[in-house]
Amino acid sequence: MTVHSRPESRPALSHREKQVLAHVAAGFSHQQVANRLGISVHTVSTYLRRIRSKRTAPTVAHLIHLSLVEGVVPASNS
């Protein structure tokens, strides 16, 4: 399965979706993303579901590739 960049007909990722994507691409767990962004784990899952509804990214590997395609800089591990 291929991760696709945003064709003009697909909605852009929101700022928060990009933040969550960056943290996931950096290897953080849902709990760690939630703690770092001050949101719940459920909200992290909601953002990932929204990202996946906008793009083809069924796995974490696809999300990491998507972050590169979208130009989302992975969050720092520090």
Side-chain angles (χ1 to χ4, degrees), residues 20-36:
V20 169
L21 180 59
H23 282 80
V24 170
F28 293 108
S29 69
H30 287 46
Q31 183 66 57
Q32 290 169 318
V33 174
N35 291 342
R36 287 173 156 260

Side-chain angles (χ1 to χ4, degrees), residues 6-75:
R6 184 174 76 86
E8 295 308 314
S9 64
R10 301 207 66 184
L13 297 180
S14 71
H15 176 70
R16 197 59 146 181
E17 288 167 346
K18 288 179 182 179
Q19 285 181 318
V20 169
L21 180 59
H23 282 80
V24 170
F28 293 108
S29 69
H30 287 46
Q31 183 66 57
Q32 290 169 318
V33 174
N35 291 342
R36 287 173 156 260
L37 297 178
I39 58 179
S40 72
V41 173
H42 176 75
T43 303
V44 170
S45 296
T46 298
Y47 281 120
L48 290 172
R49 186 171 20 86
R50 289 178 185 172
I51 292 166
R52 287 180 166 127
S53 74
K54 294 178 180 181
R55 305 291 187 277
T56 304
T59 67
V60 173
H62 285 99
L63 289 170
I64 293 167
H65 183 260
L66 177 62
S67 73
L68 297 171
V69 170
E70 292 283 332
V72 176
V73 178

